[in-house]
Amino acid sequence: MIDELWYKNAVIYSLDLETFMDANGDGVGDFEGLIRRLDYLQFLGVDTLWLAPFQPTPNRDNGYDISDYYGVDPRHGTSGDFVEFMHQAHKRGLRVLIDLVINHTSDRHPWFQDSRARNSAKRDWYVWADRRPADLDEGMVFPGVQKSTWSYDRKARAYYFHRFFAFQPDLNIENPEVRAELRRVMGFWLQLGIGGFRLDAVPFALETVDPARGPGPLRFDYLTELRRFLQWRSGDAVLLGEANVTPEEVLPYFGGDGGDGMHMMFNFYVNQHLFLALATGQVDTLVEALRATREIPAEAQWVNFLRNHDELDLGRLEDAERETVFRRFGAEERMRLYGRGIRRRLAPMLGDRRHEELAYSVLFALPGTPVLRYGDELGMGDDLSLRERDAVRTPMQWADEPQGGFSAAERLVLPVVGEGVWSYRHINVAAQRRDPSSLLNWVGGMIRLRKECPEIGRGDWVVLETGDPHVLALRYDWRGNSVITVHNFARTPCEIELDPAVPRGERLSNLREEQELAADRDGRHRIALDALDYRWYRVGGLDYAVRTPRPFTSSRAAGAAGSSAPRTRRARRRSRSR
């Protein structure tokens, strides 16, 4: 048993080393800078870090074009710096997950360079075709930007397959030598103390490709192979998979009923329907999405998120639903990407503090493990002048100092947001740590509250009927304890009555305020909710719960119904306009 399934009650923080903190002043984030900010992450309350690729790379795709699986890119430091980072993280009780990119390498990787020779021992490490494949212009991951999935290599005198960009040739996972080498890669990083891997683009890593017939069936046995190796080397490590698939396709990724595949998977399906609910105020399709993704193996876990390092992918929504979300959160064409997504940060999309609080409260209340994207705890904005996904990958805003306190360099890997209401001058860690009513301190309080409710990560859950199409109510039960969360997605107040899943007459203790909700004389529970309101209750008394430490002030209590940006006249106008 994995340390009592630690990942079920974890809170994950996603960061890109490149844009988190620069210690040596060259404009690029590094491990020394991350080490200096570990105390901040400990203060925030997260317990697991997920690092984007930091290995040597030409860096044409945010580091996902790896040219050496066994090292650290010189821009980020040395292998010694990584070991020191792991030491410091473990001292603070932080686990570390790293990306494992097994679908493709950089075209500059020595493996690919060797494979270009027809008599090379590594020729079959990649997927080659002597003749022009018929599906050359089909199945692109980045439509409108990516031109094909096969490219001709003059030296090899053949076409090579690449599900992503042409500079990212796909590895041939069917080759046992490739599998053996990737196991060595896993073993290398496990030996250095990491807590597991986030597997990138899992469906594409599992597909078999025939130049004559195109992509074939997925080889889910490979996930079982990876998990067995992982648990043999480190019984406490986990696999977190990225697979944007339908609910009907999910179970094999978790390893079927036996559960010997991924430990965790991102719940893209619920994420997309959550944003539909945030756009419309209606929760019916979100409830359907939750129920559709309910049946997974006992040891498996969903990972829930609001935003990540890519676009907000809406590809699983119906066309009309996608257009609804586009109109609300991506009204301008420059805000959209690949025809299916929105390239914006959370705060600019939602537009006001109350909506942000609701979204985060829902995130922490969903069945599964929550993950936060760096900077979203501050309400950071985006830079739509940058290309494609770079709009949401700007440097962390630490202080009202040059370059937002991220770096002393004049030129950065990406520019910091320096203008408007989302500027580092208004939104930064230093200012929000001093403000008890800031979004940062509010998020920290919610993280502590989530950790006090292990029922959400580990327990059985049910959607409670409320009689209101705008309200989502969930009940969790685990080891004799019960938690109920209630969220009003509408911009108008309402009153609901909880269904009989709450025993008649049982008192509900508010976990965020010093009050209890008593049943009426008929033993029923009625809850009055403001617009975009949320409540967390424990069924019965507070003998089990530990009262959440202060500061834990909501925007309502602080009287800050506007944006997470400073409440300037301009910011209030922007909030109302959205």
Side-chain angles (χ1 to χ4, degrees), residues 188-226:
F188 175 83
W189 294 107
L190 288 168
Q191 195 66 29
L192 294 180
I194 68 157
F197 300 94
R198 179 263 192 184
L199 263 63
D200 179 59
V202 177
F204 301 134
L206 302 181
E207 69 182 358
T208 57
V209 179
D210 186 323
R213 300 185 181 89
L218 303 185
R219 297 286 300 273
F220 289 103
D221 62 300
Y222 186 46
L223 292 181
T224 302
E225 178 182 322
L226 291 177

Side-chain angles (χ1 to χ4, degrees), residues 35-53:
I35 291 171
R36 295 181 185 182
R37 293 295 183 254
L38 288 178
D39 288 336
Y40 164 76
L41 297 173
Q42 189 176 33
F43 149 81
L44 183 60
V46 300
D47 52 33
T48 305
L49 308 183
W50 159 30
L51 306 186

Side-chain angles (χ1 to χ4, degrees), residues 5 7-8 227 254 259 262-264 296-302 457:
L5 308 181
Y7 52 91
K8 290 216 167 194
R227 175 155 175 169
F254 283 122
M262 311 296 302
H263 296 85
M264 299 187 287
I296 59 176
E299 292 189 6
Q301 181 79 321
W302 285 116

Side-chain angles (χ1 to χ4, degrees), residues 324-338:
T324 297
V325 180
F326 274 153
R327 285 194 300 270
R328 175 65 179 85
F329 297 134
E332 301 176 34
E333 191 62 34
R334 68 190 183 120
M335 298 174 178
R336 306 178 187 183
L337 191 62
Y338 309 136

Side-chain angles (χ1 to χ4, degrees), residues 541-561:
L542 288 174
D543 297 337
Y544 171 80
V546 178
R547 180 63 61 185
T548 304
R550 301 301 185 197
F552 191 19
T553 309
S554 74
S555 61
R556 295 166 182 79

